[in-house]
Amino acid sequence: MNKPLDAVTFGEAMAMFYANEPGPLHEAVSFSKALAGAESNVATGLSRLEHPTGYVTKLGEDSFGQFIVEALKKEQIDTRSVTFTKEYSTGMLVKSKVVTGDPKVEYFRKNSAASKLSLADFDEAYFASAGHLHMTSISSALSDSCRVFSMRAMEFMKDQGKTVSLDPNLRPILWPDTATMVATINDLATRCDWFLPGLGEGKILTGLDTPEEIAAYYLERGVSLVVIKLGPEGAYFKSADEEGYVKGFKVEEVVDTVGAGDGFAVGVISALLEKLPVAEAVTRGNAVGALAVMSPGDMDGLPTREGLAKFMNQEV
């Protein structure tokens, strides 16, 4: 019998090797290993904030797959719906270290085990045990079977009266062309309750320029809440009843920008699951996003509840 989960997510978890010294990736000699993947980042963040969370993926029967499932378990993430296959390998990536700007990331994920996720892997009872579904568009870009899985997950959770959040998490390199990417993600967006794009992503997806216009575009198409990330400036939110800007938190030093959006999602989702007002949820999202960019790994900065409270209280 499935134990109740506050949230469930699915996607491709990968083994990440990140350079220990700054410079061009091809010149890096020493690397550290960590778990990577947008959805696994969010699962980790929610779990650290004491929200029981399940993660669904398919891994290869290899050392990377074993590393990933053990890393998930270490974070107290429910892995009962993680499956293994002998036919395909677990994906991986390498990432440079930078002093300023975004690091260079190279993926080795084509025909990975996770890209073979299909309807045959969809466990209705497992998803029904969760109160909320969080997802990104990355899975839909991996393969047709993953896209069908994504649609099924959203439809099932909505039919069950559960909430669904979507972070577009644009990865143009994974899509055949921009038009396909935009059409697919906008189709996914109309099926979610909480949509969490960055301003740049919103511009690409809608052709509109301002946070207000972008939010209105999705509200008109059935989304209940749109929260738009504005980087250091904070975020803008809009629902049928309220809207506003929420300022960001001061960041002393940006160490690594990768994972900031996932951290933002963790803050917003966790607060909304706790029934906090939207403005407070966005404030928490800004806080977790700020903590994320001050740490080297994708999830190193994701805080515990105590760490989050300490950071937010210092900023008051």
Side-chain angles (χ1 to χ4, degrees), residues 45-309:
L46 291 174
S47 183
R48 288 183 186 176
L49 293 179
E50 301 172 16
H51 288 281
T53 302
Y55 183 72
V56 179
T57 192
K58 189 185 288 286
L59 302 170
E61 289 191 4
D62 47 44
S63 58
F64 288 163
Q66 193 60 42
F67 162 72
I68 287 169
V69 77
E70 289 180 5
L72 292 170
K73 288 179 178 177
K74 186 177 180 181
E75 294 291 347
Q76 306 299 313
I77 296 167
D78 191 292
T79 60
R80 286 171 295 158
S81 278
V82 173
T83 57
F84 290 85
T85 176
K86 292 181 180 179
E87 296 182 68
Y88 302 98
S89 301
T90 304
M92 62 165 285
L93 64 92
V94 291
K95 183 172 73 171
S96 69
K97 182 175 183 179
V98 294
V99 178
T100 59
D102 296 333
K104 181 178 178 61
V105 181
E106 294 185 356
Y107 295 95
F108 301 85
R109 68 198 304 182
K110 189 174 182 179
N111 289 320
S112 66
S115 72
K116 306 303 176 181
L117 202 66
S118 70
L119 277 183
D121 301 299
F122 188 79
D123 183 342
E124 289 190 357
Y126 188 75
F127 276 81
S129 71
H132 177 77
L133 167 66
H134 175 70
M135 53 183 285
T136 77
S137 72
I138 297 173
S139 294
S140 292
L142 296 179
S143 66
D144 288 342
S145 67
C146 281
R147 180 179 53 79
V148 173
F149 184 100
S150 299
M151 293 291 189
R152 174 59 179 150
M154 297 184 91
E155 291 169 357
F156 177 80
M157 293 298 275
K158 293 285 283 186
D159 288 345
Q160 294 286 313
K162 313 297 180 75
T163 50
V164 177
S165 56
L166 174 66
D167 182 342
N169 228 313
L170 297 193
R171 297 288 189 274
I173 195 171
L174 296 177
W175 296 91
D177 54 67
T178 301
T180 302
M181 176 180 74
V182 169
T184 305
I185 295 174
N186 281 334
D187 185 23
L188 291 171
T190 62
R191 303 165 188 263
C192 78
D193 298 289
W194 311 332
F195 189 47
L196 312 173
L199 180 58
E201 292 174 322
K203 290 180 178 180
I204 292 170
L205 293 171
T206 67
L208 301 171
D209 291 322
T210 69
E212 291 86 353
E213 290 173 322
I214 294 166
Y217 177 92
Y218 289 105
L219 289 175
E220 289 168 4
R221 287 158 177 78
V223 180
S224 300
L225 171 67
V226 181
V227 186
I228 300 176
K229 293 163 280 189
L230 304 175
E233 286 72 41
Y236 167 80
F237 70 91
K238 183 175 177 62
S239 68
D241 303 317
E242 56 184 329
E243 66 178 310
Y245 282 86
V246 179
K247 68 177 183 178
F249 285 78
K250 184 178 180 181
V251 173
E252 296 295 339
E253 180 185 5
V254 176
V255 176
D256 190 338
T257 56
V258 177
D262 302 327
F264 182 84
V266 167
V268 172
I269 294 165
S270 63
L272 292 177
L273 291 177
E274 294 163 26
K275 307 299 184 185
L276 294 181
V278 175
E280 290 185 31
V282 178
T283 298
R284 184 186 288 185
N286 287 339
V288 181
L291 285 166
V293 303
M294 291 190 283
S295 302
D298 289 9
M299 57 182 65
D300 292 351
L302 296 173
T304 61
R305 191 164 285 276
E306 180 182 4
L308 176 62

Side-chain angles (χ1 to χ4, degrees), residues 1-52:
M1 189 158 175
N2 287 320
K3 63 181 179 181
L5 299 169
D6 284 0
V8 65
T9 188
F10 62 91
E12 179 167 29
M14 292 170 285
M16 172 176 68
F17 294 87
Y18 58 95
N20 292 324
E21 59 279 331
L25 188 53
H26 70 277
E27 294 180 1
V29 175
S30 173
F31 292 83
S32 295
K33 183 173 68 171
L35 172 65
E39 300 87 0
S40 57
N41 290 344
V42 174
T44 296
L46 291 174
S47 183
R48 288 183 186 176
L49 293 179
E50 301 172 16
H51 288 281

